Amino acid sequence: MSSDSTPISSNFLRSIIEDDLSNGKHGTIVTRFPPEPNGYLHIGHAKSICLNFGLAQQFGGRCHLRFDDTNPVKEELEFIESIKESVRWLGFEWGEHLYYASDNFEQLYQWAEYLIQQGKAYVEELSADDIRIYRGTLVEAGKESPFRDRPVDESLQLFRRMRAGEFPDGAKVLRARIDMSSPNMNLRDPVLYRIIHAPHPHVGDSWRIYPMYDFAHGQSDAIEGITHSICTLEFEDHKPLYDWFLENLPVPSHPRQYEFARLNLTYAVMSKRKLHELVTQGTVSGWDDPRMPTLMGLRRRGYTPAAVRTFCERIGVGRSDSWIDMSVLEECVREDLNESAPRVLAVLRPLKVVIDNYPVDQVEEFEAANHPQRPEMGSRVVSFSRELFIEQDDFSEAPPKGFFRMSPGNEVRLRYAYIVRCTGVIKDESGSIIEVRCQYDPASRGGSAADGRKIKGTIHWVSARHALEAEVRLFDRLFTDPNPDRGGVDYKQFLNSDSVEVLPAAKLEAGLSSTDCETRFQFERQGYFRLDPQDSSPGRLVFNRIVTLKDAWSKK
Ligand code: ATP
Ligand code: MG
């Protein structure tokens, strides 16, 4: 990860691990990234991935990828494959350490029987509604279930019959017998197992009962020998339960749970349900729509894994909830691409320019540096001819004060080529300019005047007869409000109706004909772009703008 520009700074988790290693508590650290395979990963998950895999890398330990797959109804193989691909895309590798909580189902079942035998779990027959009522509230103790003190043997027999599939969904549950008056609701006899007659994407149809997340998570950590079980702050209230299981079961190790603040990003929604809604309602083209905060979306847009890693490092890891502005992510992408992206000339909204005094059949080639600060990136030739395209907004018939680009009577430099002076325009019947006429200064080859006169403006151009045509897609934020998901309002009212602009006939310099999706370019003065991997094909170039050259939002 040496290419990442942000140096590794300290955070409270690094300090804890340094202490644990230096005082000999652990010889090696083991972390894990534990997604539930019920959706696609988003930029928030990237924070957790970079943190867990990053700590393991930094301290010479290892990080496991574990699917916390305890709910067969919402989980799918497709999500498992996509999650693996996204973690790899980010640049991390779990090697042989791929685990599934469901691979521990037999062991978890045995431990559930063990708790029953110890008098620490019982089969509950109250309805789900009654269980909720009996549980009490934050200010009121819970009430003990009439089934709480049933004989151990009775619970054991019923639990075995639950496993055998003798009861319908919801008829019974297994509960831990902890403390119905605990101030921590998680300790009021939490449910450990429920009956679900549904096959499981990883272990097939061998089970009729499934463990709850809380009963599977910590024990899976213990089985894998996780040393530091790092999760987001909402699990802080679950920690006493996490520890209770580990203390009351014959587990092979006792991991420690640490919580950190989740990533909240402005101008985005990150809840799986809302992202799902955007997809199913057709607001976006899919999970990999380039405007989505999913890793698939960022990837398709053209964000680099290095930029996402830099972002995760830069935002830091703390214990208080905070909001990160979208511009921080965009700036990380910009910095990375500024270093690495070759520069090219591309005209997004073309306006035709004819140089009247340039020979009709003449073509000249100019050398253009691929990167202004990095000569090792080499150069290429760009072809110049009598008819060119420039950007529509680089021409003004009645220029405002301070406009140094092309306007009647004014001189402007065509990047790498010549100085030209605009002599007039041609309009259609409706009065729109369809062509601009110019004269070039043959003594200004390369772009500087022989007599040393100063030319203030430089614009980019593409030779009409050499140009490639492409569709270019410009993206903006999906929401107009920094906090669309603030609650109490419908986030959809903040959808940005201009979040994508399609330019159907952009003109690109000819060298781009042989590009691939891996190469990101700077289109000079327009931003960073790359081919869309889905919609481009041999006869059709479709470019996505990854990010603008400057933060356009700070001016809005
Ligand atoms: P849900 O709980 O709604 O299914 P989730 O986004 O928490 O969604 P998980 O699969 O449980 O999905 O997440 C996997 C890991 O990623 C967890 O350790 C979780 O804490 C972490 N994670 C999820 N969202 C964020 C976020 N916004 N910032 C940091 N870490 C996150
Ligand atoms: Mg979760």
Side-chain angles (χ1 to χ4, degrees):
M1 239 93 323
S2 52
S3 66
D4 295 8
S5 51
T6 302
I8 290 184
S9 57
S10 197
N11 64 48
F12 77 100
L13 290 168
R14 287 184 180 134
S15 308
I16 288 169
I17 291 172
E18 273 161 8
D19 285 350
D20 287 349
L21 288 172
S22 67
N23 68 24
K25 184 170 172 194
H26 299 293
T28 316
I29 65 147
V30 186
T31 57
R32 84 284 172 270
F33 172 63
E36 185 183 349
N38 64 354
Y40 299 100
L41 300 183
H42 54 59
I43 182 77
H45 294 112
K47 178 175 180 181
S48 176
I49 295 168
C50 291
L51 180 60
N52 280 293
F53 280 93
L55 286 169
Q57 255 170 13
Q58 189 193 347
F59 292 101
R62 61 174 200 268
C63 181
H64 298 179
L65 174 62
R66 178 169 78 239
F67 289 102
D68 264 336
D69 53 351
T70 53
N71 184 350
V73 184
K74 289 191 178 163
E75 295 164 6
E76 288 172 30
L77 287 176
E78 184 190 336
F79 296 134
I80 292 180
E81 289 314 312
S82 155
I83 289 169
K84 285 188 201 165
E85 203 179 315
S86 289
V87 175
R88 285 209 174 99
W89 174 72
L90 266 182
F92 298 106
E93 187 46 66
W94 51 88
E96 68 212 56
H97 297 288
L98 172 65
Y99 301 96
Y100 295 83
S102 57
D103 282 336
N104 301 324
F105 278 176
E106 185 59 37
Q107 175 67 79
L108 291 169
Y109 175 84
Q110 296 303 331
W111 281 339
E113 284 209 354
Y114 176 87
L115 285 181
I116 297 172
Q117 279 156 346
Q118 302 286 308
K120 291 175 181 165
Y122 59 97
V123 169
E124 172 65 277
E125 293 179 64
L126 288 179
S127 69
D129 280 346
D130 281 342
I131 290 177
R132 194 162 30 77
I133 293 164
Y134 274 60
R135 183 164 280 145
T137 65
L138 284 172
V139 291
E140 199 187 333
K143 210 165 78 178
E144 296 189 349
S145 158
F147 298 97
R148 195 174 199 264
D149 292 323
R150 74 190 327 164
V152 164
D153 250 7
E154 200 177 291
S155 277
L156 207 51
Q157 292 318 313
L158 285 170
F159 188 49
R160 288 176 181 164
R161 290 174 61 198
M162 283 166 64
R163 175 179 185 163
E166 289 185 28
F167 308 112
D169 286 11
K172 296 175 177 33
V173 292
L174 184 72
R175 294 179 78 174
R177 197 164 175 280
I178 307 180
D179 180 2
M180 286 308 289
S181 58
S182 170
N184 185 330
M185 302 287 280
N186 293 301
L187 295 180
R188 293 186 190 175
D189 292 10
V191 173
L192 306 184
Y193 270 87
R194 65 259 205 246
I195 301 170
I196 303 176
H197 289 265
H200 185 280
H202 183 62
V203 293
D205 58 4
S206 40
W207 292 89
R208 305 287 171 270
I209 54 173
Y210 290 94
M212 299 299 288
Y213 174 86
D214 278 332
F215 191 67
H217 185 75
Q219 286 85 304
S220 297
D221 282 347
I223 290 169
E224 291 174 31
I226 302 298
T227 55
H228 298 79
S229 177
I230 299 165
C231 60
T232 36
L233 280 172
E234 69 270 22
F235 289 100
E236 197 170 14
D237 285 351
H238 295 241
K239 183 148 70 187
L241 180 59
Y242 182 98
D243 288 331
W244 189 90
F245 289 133
L246 298 184
E247 280 153 15
N248 286 280
L249 290 170
V251 290
S253 74
H254 192 142
R256 294 280 165 220
Q257 174 179 310
Y258 300 94
E259 307 89 20
F260 70 100
R262 63 197 295 117
L263 167 66
N264 298 307
L265 193 63
T266 59
Y267 298 100
V269 297
M270 273 195 291
S271 109
K272 278 176 193 161
R273 187 179 62 77
K274 287 170 188 146
L275 293 174
H276 192 257
E277 237 168 48
L278 292 173
V279 173
T280 51
Q281 297 180 352
T283 312
V284 296
S285 63
W287 287 94
D288 66 348
D289 185 296
R291 295 163 294 172
M292 290 280 270
T294 52
L295 295 185
M296 292 162 80
L298 300 182
R299 179 181 182 177
R300 177 161 171 201
R301 171 99 162 235
Y303 279 34
T304 56
V308 178
R309 291 194 301 265
T310 299
F311 170 73
C312 291
E313 182 60 35
R314 191 166 294 172
I315 60 179
V317 179
R319 280 190 46 91
S320 49
D321 268 314
S322 62
W323 284 83
I324 303 293
D325 200 87
M326 181 70 97
S327 61
V328 178
L329 175 60
E330 291 164 347
E331 189 53 28
C332 291
V333 179
R334 216 173 263 134
E335 281 173 23
D336 183 33
L337 296 178
N338 181 41
E339 283 296 307
S340 60
R343 276 53 173 168
V344 292
L345 301 181
V347 173
L348 303 188
R349 298 173 184 85
L351 173 64
K352 192 168 170 192
V353 170
V354 178
I355 303 172
D356 287 315
N357 62 336
Y358 196 86
V360 174
D361 290 325
Q362 184 168 312
V363 172
E364 281 179 88
E365 291 187 332
F366 292 99
E367 188 177 354
N370 289 333
H371 194 293
Q373 285 90 39
R374 298 184 58 185
E376 73 276 15
M377 284 176 68
S379 63
R380 67 203 189 277
V381 292
V382 288
S383 302
F384 184 86
S385 64
R386 187 171 189 265
E387 299 194 355
L388 312 171
F389 293 110
I390 64 166
E391 295 291 343
Q392 286 165 16
D393 64 6
D394 277 339
F395 178 80
S396 175
E397 200 181 11
K401 201 169 176 305
F403 185 89
F404 297 120
R405 291 165 280 164
M406 191 181 281
S407 59
N410 193 35
E411 278 192 317
V412 70
R413 177 184 299 104
L414 296 175
R415 178 101 159 126
Y416 303 119
Y418 285 109
I419 296 166
V420 295
R421 181 187 300 277
C422 172
T423 53
V425 298
I426 295 177
K427 298 182 178 180
D428 63 14
E429 304 94 73
S430 69
S432 305
I433 298 169
I434 49 170
E435 207 175 289
V436 177
R437 312 299 288 209
C438 286
Q439 297 274 328
Y440 85 116
D441 171 5
S444 65
R445 195 171 197 283
S448 36
D451 61 4
R453 70 185 186 280
K454 289 270 177 291
I455 304 297
K456 282 203 168 148
T458 301
I459 62 175
H460 63 275
W461 52 273
V462 171
S463 161
R465 80 161 87 153
H466 300 95
L468 297 172
E469 192 148 304
E471 177 178 317
V472 168
R473 298 171 182 171
L474 307 181
F475 302 107
D476 202 342
R477 292 168 186 178
L478 205 43
F479 295 94
T480 53
D481 188 280
N483 190 356
D485 201 8
R486 60 175 164 268
V489 283
D490 181 6
Y491 71 97
K492 290 198 276 305
Q493 79 186 72
F494 301 118
L495 277 166
N496 177 6
S497 54
D498 296 321
S499 59
V500 58
E501 183 181 4
V502 177
L503 304 172
K507 308 288 183 179
L508 319 179
E509 66 171 71
L512 283 169
S513 62
S514 58
T515 186
D516 55 40
C517 298
E518 287 315 306
T519 315
R520 281 95 170 153
F521 296 95
Q522 185 190 100
F523 289 4
E524 289 199 23
R525 302 172 64 220
Q526 300 290 1
Y528 296 96
F529 294 76
R530 73 125 179 195
L531 271 188
D532 184 273
Q534 304 296 333
D535 294 342
S536 300
S537 56
R540 181 169 182 234
L541 297 173
V542 179
F543 276 87
N544 292 333
R545 180 156 68 190
I546 307 166
V547 68
T548 53
L549 287 183
K550 293 203 183 73
D551 179 9
W553 278 67
S554 62
K555 285 185 264 142
K556 282 193 181 177

